[in-house]
Amino acid sequence: MTLLKAESLSIQFGGLKAVDKVSLEIEKGQLFGLIGPNGAGKTTFFNLLTGVYKPTEGKLFFDGQEITNVPTVSRSHLGIRRTFQNIRLFKGLTVLENALIAFDQNMSYSLFDSFLKSSKFHLQEKEAYDKALKLLTLFKLDLNKNDKASDLSYGAQRKLEIIRTLMSDPQLILLDEPAAGMNHSETAQLMDLIKKVRDDFKLTILLIEHDMKLVMGLCEQIAVLDHGNKIAQGRPDEVSRDPQVIEAYLGPDLDSGVTT
Ligand SMILES: Nc1ncnc2c1ncn2[C@@H]1O[C@H](COP(=O)(O)OP(=O)(O)OP(=O)(O)O)[C@@H](O)[C@H]1O
Ligand SMILES: [Mg+2]
């Protein structure tokens, strides 16, 4: 069953067609990769999916509902959550607080309830705490829970960003270069984690990544952007031997040679 469908989605900045008539469908539960050279339009595509940008052309559907004109915050409530290429955490807050804040939008108690510290409030606080701790443990950040987010390594900050997306029971998470700045062992660990959260939380995941080992080893379906156009889509083995993809991005030895 299709969860996300983009129909001829486009956006133009001045004369630049940053995303040009891109159509794609992501199945529920799929691990989907979006690759392509620097400036190909990948992050811009995420910004269209989350409603940061309005498309100049095309339509977007989520879970059977058209969301082309639905505002960002409503898309988030529908279950679309993302991480950012340039990490966005509350750096002065602790690791645990960063996770808890991401749960807040889910809370149904009113301000009045919170003043009264009603039983509902306590229940939800506890639910948030338990959930945060479970995720921090899964991502091996539980021992850092009281550290300031800014004191974490770059790789750990990226993991915390993913945890934040998971705090609100999303349906679809969009990960913008989750392995950027990670070393080989961190990347290998991240691959296992992404697969595990997809399976355990029955999520759909769309990820942008320049680390081809991660993309090819993890994703079931991959779309390739170049100059705003989708130039290929298929299984990793299909995409990696597509002459147009090799020419535009991968190179003959699967070394993309791009910077993040
Ligand atoms: N708000 C904007 N205004 C003008 N141009 C923009 C804007 N956002 C993106 N662009 C341009 O759109 C093109 C696509 O950028 P985008 O950030 O989507 O690329 P990307 O595929 O994510 O690249 P990278 O792999 O380097 O992150 C680039 O030429 C970029 O300069
Ligand atoms: Mg980008």
Side-chain angles (χ1 to χ4, degrees):
M1 191 192 157
T2 303
L3 182 64
L4 184 100
K5 184 177 177 190
E7 253 179 33
S8 200
L9 215 57
S10 307
I11 187 162
Q12 195 158 337
F13 298 116
L16 175 81
K17 289 180 174 171
V19 173
D20 193 10
K21 295 190 174 65
V22 172
S23 297
L24 58 81
E25 287 187 29
I26 301 177
E27 298 293 314
K28 242 179 198 160
Q30 206 164 34
L31 251 166
F32 199 109
L34 187 62
I35 64 171
N38 294 123
K42 304 180 298 295
T43 298
T44 305
F45 188 70
F46 270 21
N47 286 330
L48 287 169
L49 298 186
T50 53
V52 173
Y53 296 144
K54 262 200 149 129
T56 40
E57 187 192 328
K59 287 182 179 174
L60 192 62
F61 299 86
F62 182 71
D63 215 4
Q65 177 191 346
E66 184 172 357
I67 58 160
T68 318
N69 296 309
V70 168
T72 305
V73 62
S74 311
R75 293 186 201 199
S76 167
H77 284 130
L78 284 173
I80 304 176
R81 301 300 307 272
R82 75 178 294 183
T83 64
F84 291 89
Q85 189 168 352
N86 48 346
I87 299 168
R88 293 190 195 175
L89 292 170
F90 296 96
K91 304 250 163 136
L93 297 184
T94 67
V95 169
L96 178 64
E97 286 163 345
N98 266 279
L100 289 174
I101 281 178
F103 184 86
D104 264 352
Q105 69 177 77
N106 248 12
M107 290 200 175
S108 61
Y109 63 79
S110 65
L111 205 57
F112 184 61
D113 280 336
S114 72
F115 279 125
L116 290 179
K117 297 264 183 215
S118 68
S119 57
K120 197 168 162 197
F121 173 84
H122 284 304
L123 264 179
Q124 293 203 326
E125 292 286 284
K126 181 165 176 5
E127 189 192 338
Y129 181 83
D130 289 349
K131 189 165 191 174
L133 217 57
K134 197 172 137 207
L135 286 167
L136 289 169
T137 305
L138 179 65
F139 280 74
K140 296 195 169 47
L141 285 178
D142 48 318
L143 297 179
N144 302 95
K145 71 175 193 285
N146 295 320
D147 295 350
K148 266 194 177 171
S150 54
D151 291 341
L152 293 180
S153 71
Y154 203 55
Q157 289 189 25
R158 290 212 173 272
K159 289 201 291 188
L160 182 54
E161 272 228 310
I162 299 176
I163 289 173
R164 284 173 47 76
T165 69
L166 297 173
M167 283 297 291
S168 60
D169 293 331
Q171 286 205 68
L172 170 69
I173 60 172
L174 311 172
L175 307 178
D176 198 343
E177 302 197 23
M182 288 189 178
N183 62 35
H184 285 306
S185 73
E186 284 176 321
T187 303
Q189 189 203 38
L190 181 73
M191 276 176 73
D192 292 341
L193 276 171
I194 291 175
K195 205 168 239 162
K196 187 164 172 48
V197 295
R198 190 274 302 263
D199 294 342
D200 289 2
F201 298 92
K202 301 194 173 24
L203 283 178
T204 308
I205 301 179
L206 172 61
L207 65 91
I208 295 172
E209 190 46 70
H210 284 297
D211 185 318
M212 284 306 106
K213 218 172 143 199
L214 184 143
V215 177
M216 298 290 174
L218 195 59
C219 297
E220 294 137 359
Q221 188 75 190
I222 295 171
V224 189
L225 293 188
D226 184 33
H227 295 293
N229 298 295
K230 188 174 94 174
I231 58 167
Q233 186 184 321
R235 294 190 314 269
D237 59 309
E238 293 170 329
V239 160
S240 59
R241 53 166 195 264
D242 183 306
Q244 220 183 330
V245 178
I246 291 168
E247 164 82 27
Y249 183 53
L250 295 179
D253 57 358
L254 242 185
D255 175 11
S256 63
V258 290
T259 54
T260 54

